Amino acid sequence: MKNLTSENNNPELDDNDDELYEHHRFVADKGQQPLRVDKFLMNYIEKATRNKIQTAAKEGNIHVNEVPVKSNYKVKPGDVVQVMFQHPPYEFLLTPEDIPLDIVYEDDALLVVNKPAGMVVHPGHGNYSGTLINALVYHIDNLPQNSSERPGLVHRIDKDTSGLLVVAKTEQAMTKLSKQFFDKSSEREYVAIVWGNLEEDEGTIEGNIGRHPKNRLQNTVYLGDDEDKGKPAVTHFKVIERLGYVTLVSCKLETGRTHQIRVHMKYIGHTLFNDERYGGDKILKGTTFTKYKQFVENCFKVLPRQALHAKTLGFKHPVSGEWMRFDTPIPDDMQQCIEKWRSYSKNQKEFID
């Protein structure tokens, strides 16, 4: 990446500098059908508009195989598509922000933080302030970079998922903690509310996870001849409480793929409650009665996000080798939703599938 400071240490970019910075890079799949590059990028970049992409192409900022192209260029299998601009990606211009953190544990090597729902973990895709990273770089100096150049991050959870994250404060901690996650020796347990009444009290979901072929903002499960389109993923689940048309479950991750629990639970027919991206914000189980619809809508208002909380986190301390295990209560919005379903399931007399 280009040096952002000039000889007089002014962090502003030189107006005459025509060097471009890569903001996005995508490699077209082997099965990619010919598709205009503006439509291709709309499938990949969240909140992108076709007008903005076409403007970027006119300005020479859309490159395919390192050559600027027009917006009507047809993307082919194996093409490397880049979005380039004269300013560096905002996620690399980290602004320290005095944002309160719920720190569960901290020492010289690491800290464990309980992230609230709604907080983005790291800047990017339109969220360049108010993130966990903005808060961390304010509170801690010289955080080590991970392989993706994210300060301190050993792992991550989605914006609307609440719960525990471990952050490395030293290079040694980053290396040793990252290895534990890679080797699957860390412990990660989530609690979720899912649509439907699971047949089994516990089980294991296996299925490679990769980008959805039509909706690039989703991931999906690939099996059989298509399994090489995804990466191996294993989720162990256990029923905590049956609440009628929804179920409270514990999910333990053996792997850590993007949206893993959300994708795996949808794959077995039990989409997370109010998970907008995967269709859980619709009534997927229950009756057609108006009162029931009103009840579910009230639950959505109480819990305006996917019902997922990273409750438990365990790992060996990178310095002492001591096993450490942290647990955090289910947050209030999710707990209120559980109570509503608990009350409803006790009071209603209908037969539930």
Side-chain angles (χ1 to χ4, degrees):
M1 183 178 171
K2 180 191 166 185
N3 188 349
L4 303 185
T5 58
S6 61
E7 290 182 358
N8 62 1
N9 292 321
N10 186 342
E12 296 297 325
L13 297 178
D14 188 337
D15 290 338
N16 296 320
D17 194 336
D18 60 358
E19 181 169 346
L20 295 177
Y21 297 81
E22 181 182 276
H23 283 234
H24 301 282
R25 172 189 287 256
F26 307 105
V27 180
D29 297 334
K30 294 179 181 178
Q32 176 69 50
Q33 297 297 314
L35 182 67
R36 285 174 58 111
V37 70
D38 52 358
K39 292 184 177 180
F40 176 86
L41 287 172
M42 283 185 67
N43 289 335
Y44 278 88
I45 304 176
E46 189 173 4
K47 298 180 181 178
T49 66
R50 194 169 179 184
N51 183 56
K52 287 183 179 179
I53 293 172
Q54 289 177 339
T55 299
K58 287 179 183 178
E59 294 174 351
N61 295 333
I62 306 300
H63 293 198
V64 175
N65 303 326
E66 302 185 350
V67 177
V69 297
K70 295 180 179 179
S71 57
N72 64 354
Y73 173 88
K74 297 291 182 67
V75 177
K76 302 181 293 295
D79 276 351
V80 178
V81 182
Q82 297 169 284
V83 181
M84 314 288 287
F85 290 106
Q86 287 190 336
H87 62 83
Y90 290 108
E91 58 261 41
F92 292 104
L93 300 176
L94 292 173
T95 303
E97 296 179 29
D98 187 8
I99 302 170
L101 290 174
D102 181 5
I103 297 174
V104 177
Y105 173 85
E106 183 174 12
D107 61 24
D108 291 339
L110 60 88
L111 77 154
V112 176
V113 62
N114 183 20
K115 186 189 82 68
M119 175 181 268
V120 176
V121 172
H122 58 74
H125 299 294
N127 299 289
Y128 301 116
S129 64
T131 74
L132 178 65
I133 290 295
N134 291 115
L136 289 172
V137 296
Y138 178 89
H139 289 284
I140 306 167
D141 293 328
N142 301 318
L143 283 170
Q145 302 278 331
N146 67 12
S147 59
S148 300
E149 300 186 27
R150 309 291 191 190
L153 288 189
V154 177
H155 61 127
R156 51 155 294 184
I157 56 179
D158 296 329
K159 172 186 176 183
D160 289 326
T161 298
S162 55
L164 296 173
L165 285 163
V166 59
V167 177
K169 295 172 67 174
T170 67
E171 294 287 353
Q172 179 190 27
M174 175 66 75
T175 300
K176 291 193 174 183
L177 288 170
S178 297
K179 188 174 188 303
Q180 290 183 55
F181 279 77
F182 180 79
D183 292 342
K184 308 171 187 175
S185 60
S186 60
E187 178 187 355
R188 285 171 290 172
E189 180 190 13
Y190 291 69
V191 290
I193 305 170
V194 301
W195 279 108
N197 190 10
L198 279 74
E199 291 184 10
E200 304 293 335
D201 287 336
E202 57 186 287
T204 297
I205 309 167
E206 296 185 62
N208 290 13
I209 290 178
R211 288 276 191 182
H212 194 287
K214 295 182 179 178
N215 185 342
R216 308 302 293 188
L217 300 181
Q218 289 186 8
N219 284 343
T220 191
V221 171
Y222 288 100
L223 298 172
D225 293 340
D226 291 330
E227 66 179 13
D228 61 344
K229 294 180 180 178
K231 296 181 180 179
V234 181
T235 304
H236 306 285
F237 70 86
K238 186 174 184 179
V239 171
I240 299 174
E241 186 175 358
R242 299 180 185 276
L243 299 168
Y245 295 120
V246 301
T247 305
L248 183 65
V249 297
S250 161
C251 294
K252 289 190 175 182
L253 295 183
E254 191 171 311
T255 53
R257 307 304 175 200
T258 301
H259 299 173
Q260 179 170 320
I261 293 172
R262 301 164 70 182
V263 173
H264 268 173
M265 295 310 295
K266 179 173 183 174
Y267 170 67
I268 65 169
H270 296 283
T271 305
L272 264 63
F273 185 78
N274 209 12
D275 188 347
E276 180 180 4
R277 181 163 295 188
Y278 289 92
D281 59 338
K282 308 293 190 300
I283 296 177
L284 300 182
K285 295 289 182 179
T287 73
T288 58
F289 298 134
T290 301
K291 284 189 176 180
Y292 176 72
K293 291 180 180 179
Q294 291 175 341
F295 164 75
V296 175
E297 288 298 327
N298 287 334
C299 289
F300 285 159
K301 289 178 182 178
V302 166
L303 182 65
R305 63 177 178 102
Q306 68 254 16
L308 187 61
H309 176 65
K311 190 175 190 300
T312 304
L313 181 62
F315 52 85
K316 284 186 178 180
H317 193 280
V319 178
S320 69
E322 175 190 359
W323 178 257
M324 308 185 79
R325 190 174 188 271
F326 302 92
D327 189 84
T328 186
I330 296 173
D332 185 60
D333 59 353
M334 198 166 163
Q335 191 62 52
Q336 285 187 49
C337 186
I338 293 168
E339 294 295 341
K340 280 183 173 293
W341 277 105
R342 186 176 287 145
S343 176
Y344 179 86
S345 64
K346 287 181 179 179
N347 294 332
Q348 61 93 23
K349 299 178 181 179
E350 307 158 357
F351 175 77
I352 297 175
D353 293 333

